[in-house]
Amino acid sequence: MPDAESASAGKLNVLSEDPLCAGVFLPNTDVPVSPIGGHFIRSHFPAPQIDSSSWSLPISGEVDNPIELSYADLLAMPSHEVTNIMECAGNSRSTMQPPAEGVQWDNGGLGAATWKGVPVKDVLEKAGLKSSATDVLFEGSDSGTEPHSGGPLNYAMSVPLEKLLNPDTILAYQINGETLPKNHGFPIRLLVPGWYGMASVKWLDKITVLDHPNGGFHEMDYRIYPAADDKNDTSIQRVTTLKVKSLIGSPSRGDILKPGPHKIKGVAWSGDGHITKVEISTDDCRSWHEAKLEEPNGNYTWQHFEYDWNAVSVGHSLLRCRATDSAGNVQPMLATWNFRGYQVNSIHSVPITVRRD
Ligand SMILES: Nc1nc2c(c(=O)[nH]1)N[C@H]1C(S)=C(S)[C@@H](COP(=O)(O)O)O[C@H]1N2
Ligand SMILES: [Mo]
């Protein structure tokens, strides 16, 4: 089923139709990977219609041997699979106070999938990197105007070479064993595992090896400015690695439960290692209890957790989850405010009511 159709069939929560931005419903995270049509979609511009038989990908810039690869050339190269959680840098933005600019995602701007493609590294090796190469610019064929862009432009982002030399960074042509659907970047997209979604450029049109970061519109847009009075931190940071985070999938906000045993289930992930602990609080943070946690499956995807809760008291409760990763990062009660509402990883709280009937 094409994504736009499954979005309208209610598998996704549609925030905007064209360009399509649609999030998952959190109870649907109780799966190893999101089914096709059930992975979030975030497009800045209308999705281009591309004919893979006439499409080709030029690789030029700081290379010894500029090349142009067809779709068939890429499919014929040795392939590699990566199971990855992708999260939009603006996910959970609507929980930020005061409100931040951008698509008002609740918590659904994420999905997990197994992607298949060709390591970017192999393609760069074919073209032969010059010693001056430091970054690579990936341009999509989609275009349009952004607030403050001052005119139309293509979606584009450069990624440092170091991240691209990791064989898990791939030019993907399949998701969960199927040809990439249009809304996920057909025919070929970049996949940068462990980073927020913005770097995984869809509808690739052109690759240019550079001797500096490109610093184009989208790259400059996905940045965090330090607080003006923070004398220790004056650096403007690019949004890159996923912050440690967890979300409760069920129960859902507003659910009415009967007194007695319930399972609190959800997912946790980090771009900085795997999750070592998820704790649950059902009493407004007075006490925290460790949940059962799934072992990591590879380096990049979510881990499910589950906690047996006995709801004895009638009334409302705030259910919360808090994850810790193997680098020792713990989710904060409130994420650091930034005006674009990026990388919000505040502790998720889900209000529910316990009622006899
Ligand atoms: N060409 C292109 N690539 C893009 C985008 C886009 O608008 N155009 N959106 C980016 C953003 S912000 C995210 S979060 C991911 C979303 O990927 P998905 O729609 O496959 O879930 O794609 C990224 N790649
Ligand atoms: Mo995003």
Side-chain angles (χ1 to χ4, degrees):
M1 195 191 293
D3 293 317
E5 254 176 65
S6 43
S8 59
K11 275 207 205 168
L12 293 172
N13 177 23
V14 178
L15 302 183
S16 100
E17 293 274 355
D18 197 18
L20 185 60
C21 293
V24 302
F25 295 105
L26 291 184
N28 295 344
T29 56
D30 195 15
V31 285
V33 292
S34 312
I36 292 175
H39 182 286
F40 89 106
I41 293 163
R42 163 56 165 136
S43 298
H44 289 243
F45 306 129
Q49 182 72 44
I50 298 171
D51 174 0
S52 59
S53 61
S54 55
W55 173 93
S56 64
L57 185 62
I59 296 126
S60 64
E62 302 294 310
V63 296
D64 297 324
N65 168 36
I67 49 173
E68 188 147 348
L69 298 173
S70 69
Y71 187 57
D73 292 337
L74 285 163
L75 263 57
M77 286 177 70
S79 66
H80 184 63
E81 281 194 353
V82 185
T83 300
N84 170 68
I85 177 169
M86 191 185 291
E87 186 189 16
C88 183
N91 193 29
S92 310
R93 174 181 284 138
S94 67
T95 65
M96 189 156 254
Q97 275 300 328
E101 277 175 37
V103 178
Q104 290 302 306
W105 289 107
D106 51 4
N107 296 297
L110 82 167
T114 300
W115 304 84
K116 181 175 171 181
V118 179
V120 175
K121 174 178 157 290
D122 294 355
V123 169
L124 295 177
E125 271 166 18
K126 255 188 196 292
L129 287 173
K130 289 195 170 156
S131 59
S132 50
T134 59
D135 297 81
V136 179
L137 175 64
F138 295 86
E139 288 178 74
S141 55
D142 53 329
S143 63
T145 306
E146 297 273 23
H148 318 297
S149 71
L153 73 178
N154 285 70
Y155 190 87
M157 180 92 42
S158 73
V159 178
L161 201 54
E162 189 197 352
K163 189 73 190 167
L164 302 171
L165 295 179
N166 179 334
D168 293 328
T169 303
I170 60 174
L171 299 180
Y173 50 76
Q174 271 190 8
I175 174 172
N176 299 348
E178 294 196 21
T179 302
L180 220 55
K182 177 172 154 183
N183 285 307
H184 288 303
F186 180 83
I188 300 279
R189 80 171 307 161
L190 177 64
L191 182 79
V192 184
W195 278 26
Y196 285 100
M198 75 276 129
S200 293
V201 180
K202 305 194 274 190
W203 308 294
L204 279 180
D205 189 37
K206 200 173 169 186
I207 295 182
T208 315
V209 180
L210 305 175
D211 59 6
H212 59 278
N214 171 249
F217 178 85
H218 293 100
E219 207 170 304
M220 300 304 282
D221 200 36
Y222 283 94
R223 280 174 184 242
I224 306 255
Y225 291 80
D229 58 359
D230 188 344
K231 300 286 177 280
N232 297 319
D233 182 4
T234 52
S235 55
I236 299 170
Q237 306 274 354
R238 261 187 90 173
V239 174
T240 57
T241 307
L242 290 164
K243 299 262 181 204
V244 62
K245 187 160 171 178
S246 60
L247 291 169
I248 292 174
S250 61
S252 296
R253 182 185 174 82
D255 279 359
I256 297 173
L257 310 179
K258 290 204 181 1
H262 294 281
K263 282 202 187 299
I264 299 175
K265 292 178 163 195
V267 284
W269 67 91
S270 168
D272 221 4
H274 60 273
I275 298 296
T276 52
K277 183 165 75 171
V278 175
E279 296 156 289
I280 303 289
S281 173
T282 59
D283 58 3
D284 213 5
C285 302
R286 282 187 291 277
S287 63
W288 290 90
H289 308 275
E290 207 164 326
K292 262 186 282 170
L293 178 67
E294 185 185 13
E295 290 294 314
N297 163 25
N299 293 328
Y300 306 108
T301 198
W302 58 26
Q303 290 165 251
H304 293 87
F305 64 82
E306 199 175 291
Y307 175 73
D308 290 312
W309 179 44
N310 192 18
V312 276
S313 321
V314 168
H316 84 256
S317 285
L318 289 172
L319 309 181
R320 289 193 172 91
C321 57
R322 175 172 73 187
T324 303
D325 71 17
S326 51
N329 302 301
V330 186
Q331 282 183 261
M333 195 63 201
L334 272 185
T336 313
W337 192 88
N338 61 86
F339 84 109
R340 291 303 308 278
Y342 290 137
Q343 48 191 41
V344 174
N345 69 334
S346 316
I347 291 172
H348 186 206
S349 42
V350 178
I352 55 95
T353 308
V354 176
R355 210 162 74 187
R356 276 186 221 289
D357 260 316

